Amino acid sequence: MQFPKKDILDMASLSAEEIMLILNTAENMKEISERPIKKVPTLRGKTVILLFYEPSTRTRLSFDIAAKRLSADSLSISAGTSSVVKGETLIDTAKNLEAMNPDMIVIRHSSAGVPHMLAGRVKASIINAGDGMHAHPSQALLDMLTVRQNKKTLEGLKIAIIGDISHSRVARSNINGFTKMGSSVVLAGPPTMIPMGIETMGATVTYSVDEAISDADVIMMLRIQKERLKSFSFSTEREYAITYGLSADRMKQAKPDVLIMHPGPLNRGVEISPEVADGPFSIILDQVTNGVAVRMALFYLLSGGVKNADDN
Ligand code: CP
């Protein structure tokens, strides 16, 4: 199966078959990162621009590493060091990038819909690296790859996503992705951080963390996105940690083979205790490792790659 999309904008627009193709391709890409010389010539001559209007450690660096491991030329600009600070609009910035003929543009922006808008205006493939509270598709794909690696399937799993759901593009993309692949998703957190009507995406909601984790195969903790909060939705971080955080004590209620995930960055001692984040059930750093493989797969497939498409 050849990848039929020009852009990767959100999980909602990917079919289960396309998600499977991306995960299988990423599985094949992992081995490249384990070689002494971590580089293949596959995308030699291709140009990737990383355009980040919001801070990032994991996503930006792993897209950059992914491009380099495939021998693409990757160039990175952030809003603060670009002509955005001189008042240039996003559209003008995009037109100027387009004039340099890149093959792919990876964009993170605080406004939902920006990658979709760019996708309709430039010839280059657009990859959404996070747009406002809307979508973060490469995060959901790396999360699914990490779960599948550990559980061998996504079918029939129960995924508990806990914390600040309202502001989380990671939660929305994971609800879309996991439910499409046959998992069920339960959301838990403070009532002020769970948006009305989120059930229409296919998830169930509880306000009890204990209930959500009791039969979960995967517990994904989310940080409180203070940068997006207009007002505080809880009294203190200590109270939040006690009521909604994942502690070693609360873990006693979880299944013995549960997986603990977090997209990062962690707020240690708030949504997750250090013992749990660094403990035996945590696959948080595996998520980061798999982020490189997933992003290599996205670059490869958007560039027309078909090798290993129907493997696994
Ligand atoms: N998970 C994630 O998007 O992390 P960064 O903000 O560091 O990219």
Side-chain angles (χ1 to χ4, degrees), residues 7-11 13 115-116 119 126-128 131 134-137:
D7 311 290
I8 300 289
L9 300 178
D10 50 40
M11 294 305 294
S13 56
H116 299 66
I126 299 292
I127 302 179
N128 181 1
D131 61 327
H134 172 230
H136 193 349

Side-chain angles (χ1 to χ4, degrees), residues 55-60 108 136 139 263-265:
S56 170
T57 298
R58 282 147 288 269
T59 311
R60 181 171 173 160
R108 170 171 286 191
H136 193 349
Q139 179 70 44

Side-chain angles (χ1 to χ4, degrees), residues 158-159 161 175 184-188 194 198-199 202-206:
K158 180 176 167 186
I159 316 292
I161 306 180
I175 296 168
S184 62
V185 176
V186 58
L187 308 172
I194 299 192
I198 190 93
E199 295 92 337
T204 54
V205 170
T206 172

